[in-house]
């Protein structure tokens, strides 16, 4: 009986937003979960509980696919809020880089990623796409917390506390990939840091590995005006043109940021069916510029949303980014129609799954997909009255409305409590110790 | 003893942001409250509890002045989330105006304002500056919930369910003002709706009343490009120039929005020492434009932040607006220095008090000011680690961190519970009934 109730059960909610291709918003349905997968979605009226399943009745709640954070650096949570009031150069040169240089280690990355995972999970995020040093430590943190993660094998042309040179980054990355091959919740990508920190030669090798191993390429692109100017000085062309010439670009390429795009960039993005991940809060907080969400949607294969790392956001919750994306899209010159709440929400779910090439497994509520789910309690006084549950969640709500989070059908967070073996207090204390090492 | 503990007590917190003229952020201090006023602020180390006062120890919390929402239409909460995905014209013409025309009444305004007050209070707001029909109903709601409010005597040149013409709006407004004269927590302003809905003649009368009664003038200004075009067509000048010619502008004038400002507008704003209230979320959600926070700060006497009404935000929490103000200020062309967290926070506290001409009573934590206070619990996992409590609250936190709210030294909200006589469930149910009347 116990096995049965855990592996085969139902959830009854007032609303379910499926994020399927019809963008169906269902009212008063029951979602049946079996062995970690979505088994059936049945109108409550026509449901008869012949198998005597446990049915969790959530009342005035909205169930959505688990949110997918399409770009982050989890471990940078140890720098959350450092030098918030500083400009980019001072922020990087006086705070971020010295702190990383001083402390970077497997232990730091594990501790900080674990805290980041707890924050993301309690913000309704079930999958994240990460890029940082010691990817094995972040992958381990994700498995301990019980999340799904696509972890980048990072490449950067300088020595760090993690690796020495391209070959070293590659060897360590591939070893990490092998070590986690049996882990259902961990997938990997190749993650060259950015055009200004990776050489042509390295990019070519990365393209070869991507083809041979069937991995995506996850890379920062066109984040700042400086980056473009620098590329023109060094390579005579803009970064996207350079990477296009190198054969890097295609539907397996995930270009993060893309704040600065001219018409030649848009042509490349369209022709090569690139995926874009926008991180609007981070872009504006670092004064990199305001991403043009509408332009991205009109040109990229997929547009997904990411929080970026905690150091530049400073929330690992997609809700600030979703609302800001909506506000920016409405404010963009020439926009004819407002992005509706379903299209907006899809950027945090199915579009992100498409971006990661995981659309067959996650990103929408459909039969045979993995049961990665979130329920939001919409009975909160802050959300009343409700004309549209999805727009209510986006514009009036946020992570404080997260009620339950399931990964593979397993409840991982419920009513503000984590359901895993992580000692939350000790996790917070460890971060305070790391912070003290920076400050002193 | 009971009287003593209620009227004279202390609060001990890790941080106190005073918002005083030195912008002091105090660590490990005790705040002593006596008869509803701030009596003393003492370092914990040098405090000896000779009078055996009750000391509330909040631990890892930040105490700030109660937040001041410098512009809202509380009652519009009954329209929160209606037609979120529509453009301004459809939103106004198909949803907002017909709903108001159909339902506007004292009961509606009271019920909706009450819900709005509960939302604001639980978001750390202790004072709000309101403009809507049936100001007496909103004032009554504020007193029932236990908040401070500056309520506008509204003027608009059309007949509504509230009043027929200028004289009727004026008579009803003045009667309301008289009725609430004995209410410590209610102050009033003159609130002509906007340049495009109020005639020269009415504006002149409003100026006279403002002078004679010593009241501020609270008015929407330069919200949309249409408004400016319309003014040039009708009056041959931009709205600010028109109101300047009429003698309306001065340090008692509160200009809400000011999204579209040219150099002539800035000159007037500076010369006449006008106060600006910016509502960035509302402006961007309605696609009115992006307010230039830095430009405002460089020209206006005071810049404060407002949420605007629930229908166009849709949160009556200043945190989304504060974070967006910071992001917009950083993204503004020509900005040399980032607005720091203290200056930012002041826009939601002392600047707003200055704007309302209430700076002697509220807006900062100083001896002899009214004890309108908020404490934020910064031990939340989402906020770790903490390098700067104020920037942590602004960039990583929000209303979910509100722990306690005091008005006049009386605890009104604590640990997610309201401490007043309002039946929260019945309040929500009433709003649902009003919503159903619109939908059917």
């Amino acid at each position: 009986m116990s096995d049965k109730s855990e592996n085969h059960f139902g959830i009854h909610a007032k609303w379910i937003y499926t994020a399927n291709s019809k963008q169906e918003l269902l009212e008063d349905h029951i979602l049946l979960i079996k062995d970690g997968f979505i088994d059936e979605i049945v109108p409550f009226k026509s449901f008869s509980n012949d198998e005597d399943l446990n049915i969790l009745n959530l009342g005035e709640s909205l169930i959505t696919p688990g949110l997918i954070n399409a770009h982050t650096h989890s471990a940078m949570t140890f720098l959350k809020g450092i030098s918030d009031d500083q400009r980019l150069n001072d922020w990087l040169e006086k705070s971020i880089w010295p702190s990383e240089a001083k402390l970077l280690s497997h232990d730091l990355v594990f501790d900080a990623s674990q805290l980041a995972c707890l924050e993301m999970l309690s913000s309704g995020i079930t999958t994240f796409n990460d890029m940082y040093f010691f990817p094995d430590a972040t992958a381990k943190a994700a498995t301990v917390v019980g999340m799904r993660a696509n972890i980048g094998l990072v490449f950067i042309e300088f020595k760090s506390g993690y690796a020495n040179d391209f070959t070293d980054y590659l060897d360590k990355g591939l070893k990490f990939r092998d070590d986690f091959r049996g882990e259902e919740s961990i997938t990997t990508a190749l993650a060259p840091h950015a055009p200004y920190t990776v050489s042509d030669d390295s990019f070519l090798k990365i393209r070869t590995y991507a083809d041979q191993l069937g991995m995506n390429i996850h890379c920062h692109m066109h984040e700042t005006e400086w980056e473009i100017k620098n590329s023109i000085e060094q390579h005579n062309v803009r970064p996207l043109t350079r990477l296009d010439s190198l054969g890097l670009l295609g539907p397996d390429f995930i270009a993060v940021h893309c704040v600065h795009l001219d018409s030649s960039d848009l042509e490349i993005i369209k022709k090569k069916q690139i995926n874009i991940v926008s991180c609007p809060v981070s872009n504006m907080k670092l004064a990199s510029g305001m991403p043009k969400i509408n332009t991205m949607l009109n040109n990229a294969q997929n547009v997904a949303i990411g929080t970026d790392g905690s150091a530049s956001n400073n929330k690992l919750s997609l809700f600030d980014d979703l609302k800001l994306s909506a506000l920016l899209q409405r404010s963009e010159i020439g926009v004819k129609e407002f992005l509706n709440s379903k299209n907006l929400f899809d950027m945090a779910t199915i579009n992100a799954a498409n971006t990661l090439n995981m659309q067959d497994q996650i990103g929408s509520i459909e039969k045979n997909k993995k049961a990665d789910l979130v329920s939001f309690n919409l009975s909160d006084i802050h959300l009343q009255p409700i004309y549209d549950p999805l727009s209510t969640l986006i514009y009036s709500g946020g992570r404080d409305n997260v009620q339950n989070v399931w990964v593979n059908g397993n409840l991982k967070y419920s009513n503000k409590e984590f359901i895993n073996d992580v000692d939350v207090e000790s996790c917070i204390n460890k971060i305070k110790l790391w912070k003290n090492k920076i400050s002193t």
Side-chain angles (χ1 to χ4, degrees), chain A residues 28 46 54-55 70 73 84 132 149 178 190 216 305 327 332 338 387 412-413 438:
Chain A
D28 204 22
S46 58
N54 274 342
I55 306 293
H73 314 281
D84 274 331
Y132 203 64
D178 285 342
L190 296 155
N216 286 328
I305 301 289
L327 299 181
E332 204 169 313
F338 289 172
Y387 292 89
K412 292 291 177 186
Y413 181 78
I438 291 174

Side-chain angles (χ1 to χ4, degrees), chain A residues 50-103:
Chain A
D50 300 333
E51 297 184 64
D52 196 25
L53 301 176
N54 274 342
I55 306 293
L56 182 64
N57 186 357
L58 298 177
E60 207 161 335
S61 292
L62 166 68
I63 299 178
T64 74
L67 304 184
I68 302 173
N69 185 359
H71 177 71
T72 191
H73 314 281
S74 303
M76 292 186 82
T77 291
F78 80 106
L79 298 170
K80 183 198 281 275
I82 197 168
S83 304
D84 274 331
D85 295 338
Q86 298 305 308
R87 289 192 64 94
L88 184 62
N89 283 355
D90 279 353
W91 178 79
L92 275 175
E93 290 167 18
K94 293 185 187 163
S95 295
I96 303 296
W97 289 341
S99 305
E100 288 183 331
K102 186 174 171 188
L103 296 176

